[in-house]
Amino acid sequence: MSHLSIAKFGGTSVANYNAMYASAKIVINDPNTRVVVLSASAGITNLLVSLANGRDLAERTKLINEVRQIQENILSELKDDSGVRYKIEKLLANIEALAEAASLATSLALTDELISHGEMMSSLIFVEILRELNTTATWLDIRTVIATDSHFGKAIPQDKKTQQHSDQILKPLIDRGELIITQGFIGRDEQGKTTTLGRGGSDYSAALLAEVLNAKDVLIWTDVAGIYTTDPRIVPNAKRIDTMSFCEAAEMATFGAKVLHPATLLPAVRSNIPVYVGSSKAPEAGGTWVVRDPQPRPTFRAIALRRDQVLLTLSSLNMLHAQGFLAKVFTLLAKYKISVDVVTTSEVSIALTLDKTGSASSGNNLLSTDLIDELTKLCSVKIDHDLSLVALIGNELHTHSGIAKRIFDTLENYNIRSICYGASTNNICMLVHNENADAIVSALHRSLFE
């Protein structure tokens, strides 16, 4: 077809029957949407993650009943649930068995297998809702298409194999004019085991499919009508951004804006596929287009906030005029698969903020005892918690005079733990104490955007 759109619906867009019904109407009303990627219903993934961490029988029973109730609330509103209920019951039985296995011994592979069930259930029910709206749709197990490595919890897609699978399995269905309903967030490794792409990876799945199918755009349907200058829950005066660049959106997503998953933009940037963000609850309200080169491109575009950051400060006199110290540090961090965000250095110390993202990670075990032991052999180690990262997103920030003065005049009453300015032309990052984060975002927004 000449214009193929890939639509992705987030957890709140498939949270209950009414949300699924509204999302189904969006699909039906857009003949260009031929592939629909679904998240798990809101709340399901968190419950499954909790089960995957290993729970006693009483807690398991409670959590499984909560999962069952969310699905039951949707099934009970179907006119006829006989075509899908037994499939959901089978998946719930799988969840129960996997949760029991997790109570005996947890593993990342088991976690991925368990939490993948959320997307499987929501996509099966969505097909049934479309059928009740007189629209025929084909359910597809996305694991037959998206091939990944075996890094459970944050798997990396294997692009060549995914393209081959798409050409063999997915493209023929689309060429026949079928409407495909599938899952986000999950894939399969070479051994046939289920993997996940990290929390929020449904966006990534949609963009990957858009790339392998040569789609014209990716439509991300969520619970907000686009991307705003900052989180409207913090600043009610935040304004929607009509168009923004891939770079700006990637910066926002990386530094905490939850509207888009950071990795979503990788396939979109590679293949220059526009990404639209709109609200499934109010599709008529408009949204934000993310494109390669929007105009105009203002100095200040938005403010992003990421809470609960870990600051790792490593100090050693051996750094002074030495060679290879940073290489040793980053080799160790890579060994333990730690992603580093912001780096600031002095002559004898280096301060790093660490990325907690990952499908099952709560961040609690981010810095393992083994890693700390190895770092301690190199240098003294200090760990700070209860910090937030505030990122000011813009364009060519390093070329404008007076920016630093405006920021520090605005924030003169707050303690700034560290600042990173000049490493990127698109952001200025400040590490602040959690209790001041909202006030700092509000103050910056008043100064720079209102």
Side-chain angles (χ1 to χ4, degrees):
M1 60 189 300
S2 59
H3 188 126
L4 170 64
S5 295
I6 311 296
K8 175 261 175 177
F9 291 89
T12 54
S13 298
V14 291
N16 50 47
Y17 179 85
N18 289 336
M20 280 197 174
Y21 184 91
S23 297
K25 294 290 283 186
I26 290 172
V27 172
I28 292 167
N29 291 334
D30 181 7
N32 294 324
T33 294
R34 305 313 297 163
V35 179
V36 179
V37 176
L38 299 182
S39 296
S41 297
I44 290 286
T45 300
N46 287 338
L47 292 168
L48 296 178
V49 167
S50 187
L51 286 167
N53 288 334
R55 293 289 183 262
D56 62 30
L57 179 59
E59 184 66 13
R60 284 205 311 275
T61 303
K62 175 178 174 291
L63 292 168
I64 290 167
N65 284 341
E66 287 183 48
V67 172
R68 185 183 297 277
Q69 191 59 54
I70 291 172
Q71 304 306 318
E72 180 60 36
N73 290 343
I74 305 173
L75 291 171
S76 65
E77 296 207 45
L78 292 172
K79 295 185 184 75
D80 177 10
D81 65 6
S82 60
V84 71
R85 178 174 285 279
Y86 76 95
K87 297 176 184 176
I88 299 302
E89 290 293 344
K90 187 176 177 182
L91 289 170
L92 288 167
N94 285 352
I95 290 170
E96 202 163 341
L98 290 165
E100 185 177 355
S103 72
L104 301 173
T106 61
S107 75
L108 291 175
L110 177 59
T111 296
D112 277 7
E113 180 66 36
L114 180 49
I115 63 181
S116 70
H117 283 63
E119 280 71 17
M120 304 300 278
M121 290 189 291
S122 65
S123 56
L124 285 167
I125 295 173
F126 197 78
V127 169
E128 203 63 24
I129 288 176
L130 283 167
R131 188 187 66 76
E132 290 194 354
L133 291 168
N134 300 314
T135 300
T136 302
T138 301
W139 183 88
L140 175 74
D141 186 340
I142 199 61
R143 294 173 296 185
T144 63
V145 176
I146 292 185
T148 74
D149 66 6
S150 301
H151 185 185
F152 298 104
K154 205 172 183 184
I156 298 171
Q158 308 296 291
D159 296 334
K160 195 171 181 181
K161 285 187 179 177
T162 299
Q163 181 71 63
Q164 290 170 352
H165 294 166
S166 174
D167 292 344
Q168 294 163 2
I169 299 166
L170 189 52
K171 197 166 184 303
L173 296 173
I174 292 169
D175 289 343
R176 290 204 297 267
E178 296 187 33
L179 170 61
I180 311 301
I181 309 301
T182 191
Q183 310 80 37
F185 179 56
I186 59 179
R188 183 176 282 158
D189 71 3
E190 282 191 28
Q191 287 72 47
K193 291 184 177 178
T194 299
T195 57
T196 64
L197 307 181
R199 292 300 284 268
S202 293
D203 293 350
Y204 196 177
S205 302
L208 281 169
L209 293 179
E211 185 173 47
V212 296
L213 291 168
N214 196 27
K216 286 289 188 283
D217 47 41
V218 179
L219 312 175
I220 305 288
W221 295 102
T222 180
D223 56 356
V224 291
I227 301 173
Y228 285 72
T229 47
T230 196
D231 188 337
R233 291 169 298 184
I234 299 173
V235 181
N237 288 336
K239 299 175 178 63
R240 189 177 70 213
I241 303 165
D242 292 328
T243 59
M244 65 192 309
S245 70
F246 287 125
C247 286
E248 292 167 333
E251 294 278 357
M252 284 192 71
T254 299
F255 291 111
K258 295 180 180 178
V259 177
L260 283 177
H261 185 266
T264 301
L265 302 173
L266 297 178
V269 170
R270 279 195 305 243
S271 300
N272 193 22
I273 301 171
V275 177
Y276 177 79
V277 180
S279 169
S280 62
K281 293 178 173 59
E284 72 287 346
T288 300
W289 279 102
V290 184
V291 297
R292 179 169 285 175
D293 187 26
Q295 297 298 330
R297 299 179 83 160
T299 303
F300 302 114
R301 178 67 89 181
I303 301 166
L305 171 65
R306 194 162 66 202
R307 303 180 194 274
D308 299 322
Q309 297 297 285
V310 175
L311 179 67
L312 182 65
T313 305
L314 310 174
S315 304
S316 173
L317 291 174
N318 292 334
M319 280 183 68
L320 196 62
H321 304 306
Q323 297 174 343
F325 181 84
L326 292 182
K328 291 176 184 174
V329 168
F330 281 98
T331 298
L332 271 178
L333 294 172
K335 175 182 173 182
Y336 289 91
K337 301 192 183 308
I338 300 293
S339 176
V340 176
D341 274 344
V342 177
V343 181
T344 55
T345 64
S346 73
E347 285 294 323
V348 294
S349 65
I350 175 173
L352 314 162
T353 63
L354 305 181
D355 182 5
K356 294 183 179 183
T357 56
S359 65
S361 174
S362 65
N364 294 336
N365 300 317
L366 186 69
L367 296 170
S368 67
T369 304
D370 290 343
L371 170 59
I372 298 300
D373 287 345
E374 291 202 53
L375 286 171
T376 303
K377 292 173 186 175
L378 275 181
C379 53
S380 68
V381 178
K382 183 172 183 288
I383 303 169
D384 289 315
H385 298 278
D386 299 322
L387 296 166
S388 293
L389 193 66
V390 176
L392 179 59
I393 314 297
N395 293 284
E396 303 297 326
L397 293 171
H398 66 305
T399 66
H400 297 276
S401 58
I403 285 179
K405 182 178 187 303
R406 288 184 70 180
I407 292 171
F408 284 108
D409 282 352
T410 301
L411 303 182
E412 62 179 340
N413 295 323
Y414 300 99
N415 173 246
I416 308 298
R417 180 64 180 80
S418 75
I419 186 166
C420 184
Y421 183 14
S424 166
T425 64
N426 290 105
N427 75 60
I428 299 170
C429 295
M430 291 158 282
L431 203 61
V432 303
H433 294 286
N434 273 345
E435 66 265 21
N436 295 330
D438 286 8
I440 285 172
V441 169
S442 297
L444 285 171
H445 197 274
R446 278 195 304 274
S447 172
L448 304 177
F449 292 95
E450 295 177 36

